[in-house]
Amino acid sequence: MHPQRKCLNVVFQLAGLIIGKGGSRIKEIRQQSGASVSIADPDEGSDDRIITIVGTNDQIHCAQYLLQMRCVSVLSSSALSFNVEFICNDF
């Protein structure tokens, strides 16, 4: 079975919070989901970051869920206010 790929768009304000200090949060998401998860630098003219998830469908769904829960967790405990559906939306 060939690995699948999914890309998500994340507003730049959350990228560092998703990655975590020294990459700790993103490593945790990789370990829990079993998927390969990478966050690209913003494209020229954009502040948004692209998260690429590679793995089986189950691994991708798990990683996407963990990323979305991280977004919700960060937003519920901070002054940042964004629409989570926009933050972690497929494109």
Side-chain angles (χ1 to χ4, degrees), residues 10-84:
V10 177
V11 295
F12 78 97
Q13 291 94 333
L14 288 180
L17 298 171
I18 290 171
I19 295 168
K21 186 174 183 176
S24 62
R25 299 273 188 209
I26 200 76
K27 287 177 189 173
E28 186 177 299
I29 291 170
R30 289 177 185 138
Q31 289 173 345
Q32 289 179 1
S33 68
S36 169
V37 182
S38 61
I39 301 180
D41 289 331
D43 289 334
E44 189 174 326
S46 173
D47 288 331
D48 291 353
R49 307 284 293 269
I50 306 300
I51 298 177
T52 303
I53 307 169
V54 179
T56 66
N57 282 333
D58 288 343
Q59 290 170 330
I60 290 171
H61 289 294
C62 182
Q64 185 174 3
Y65 172 79
L66 293 169
L67 288 164
Q68 288 173 332
M69 290 301 97
R70 179 67 183 148
C71 291
V72 169
S73 172
V74 166
L75 293 176
S76 67
S77 64
S78 76
L80 297 173
S81 64
F82 300 100
N83 180 342
V84 173

